[in-house]
Amino acid sequence: MSTPRQKITGKENWIEGKKTNNQSFSYGPTHLLRHCQSMCPWAWVMFHFATSIHPSSHSNTERAMAKPENRTNLASCFVATVFLIFLLIVVFIVYFTVFKPQYPKIAVSAIQIPSFSATNGTVNFTFSQYASVRNPNRGTFSHYDSSLQLLYYGRQVGFMFVPAGKIAAGRTQYMAATFTVQSFPLGLGPTSVDGPSSVGPTMEMESRIEMAGRVRVLHLFSHHVEAKAQCRVAIAINDGSVLGFRC
């Protein structure tokens, strides 16, 4: 059974009415809204407008509350970006000042001719060169394509490969190279220069040592580096003694 509706009493008795059969009746909530809509259309429009504005006021409040949070996130992103840029600048400065790859330094300390022979305008001898190679880098220098050449007026008369090896960071390695130079005529170049009267005629030769390899920095970056040294050597033709050299 349905529960009978209660009449609206008190000040709201004006809602009551009479049916045609003289029976009293009362409005429920739904009927009340419909009655207001029919009796006061302008009031219903105002009510509908007020209820439609109410959700937007909530959204405006939520947006106003979200603005500080968005500003905080934006500030955090800005600070993080500035920090990363500063960190990259520091890394680049340290890399190019401390870990920047440098070319090894070659210094020739001595040149000797252990054996020498000159007959009928040709000479053959044994050539020895002593040098030191310093690695100024903070990484190991691995050389694999190195050689020593001996030239007489631009023509190669002697050649030797330098064995591959490694030079630790900041270390100096001493090297000695000795090889035999086959006979070649002295007439290949200009007339031999006369030395002091006690020495006799001399010849000038050029030695070139080249070293190539790579340097690994921080075990991550590998760089190709080269080192070269050229020396001019004055040799007495009478006995093959080295009169001097300049690099």
Side-chain angles (χ1 to χ4, degrees), residues 123-152:
V123 295
N124 68 295
F125 53 90
T126 302
F127 182 83
S128 297
Q129 179 170 293
Y130 302 89
S132 61
V133 183
R134 181 179 176 274
N135 177 22
N137 296 284
R138 293 183 177 272
T140 302
F141 170 52
S142 302
H143 58 90
Y144 48 82
D145 188 11
S146 307
S147 62
L148 173 62
Q149 300 180 66
L150 188 64
L151 298 93
Y152 179 64

Side-chain angles (χ1 to χ4, degrees), residues 17 21 71 75 82 90 100 120-121 125 151 183 222 233 236 244 247:
N21 55 2
R71 291 178 180 176
V82 172
V90 171
K100 181 181 179 180
N120 298 327
F125 53 90
L151 298 93
S183 298
S222 182
V233 188
C247 300

Side-chain angles (χ1 to χ4, degrees), residues 3 5 31 67 92 98 101 104 113 121 150 161 165-166 182 189 200 206 218 221 227 230 232 236:
T3 304
R5 296 175 179 168
H31 295 88
K67 285 183 178 179
F92 275 108
V98 180
I113 307 294
L150 188 64
F161 279 111
K166 295 182 179 181
Q182 301 298 327
E206 181 182 1
L218 298 176
F221 307 102
Q230 299 182 3
R232 292 188 174 275

Side-chain angles (χ1 to χ4, degrees), residues 56-104:
S56 64
S57 63
H58 280 288
S59 62
N60 291 336
T61 304
E62 292 176 356
R63 292 175 184 174
M65 295 177 63
K67 285 183 178 179
E69 182 178 356
N70 293 336
R71 291 178 180 176
T72 303
N73 294 337
L74 182 61
S76 300
C77 293
F78 178 76
V79 172
T81 303
V82 172
F83 176 75
L84 289 177
I85 294 175
F86 175 76
L87 185 62
L88 289 175
I89 293 175
V90 171
V91 170
F92 275 108
I93 292 175
V94 172
Y95 178 77
F96 285 104
T97 56
V98 180
F99 297 99
K100 181 181 179 180
Q102 302 180 35
Y103 293 111

Side-chain angles (χ1 to χ4, degrees), residues 228-239:
K228 298 180 180 180
Q230 299 182 3
C231 299
R232 292 188 174 275
V233 188
I235 302 174
I237 296 178
N238 293 337
D239 56 2

Side-chain angles (χ1 to χ4, degrees), residues 189-203:
T191 306
S192 301
V193 179
D194 290 334
S197 58
S198 60
V199 176
T202 62
M203 65 178 183

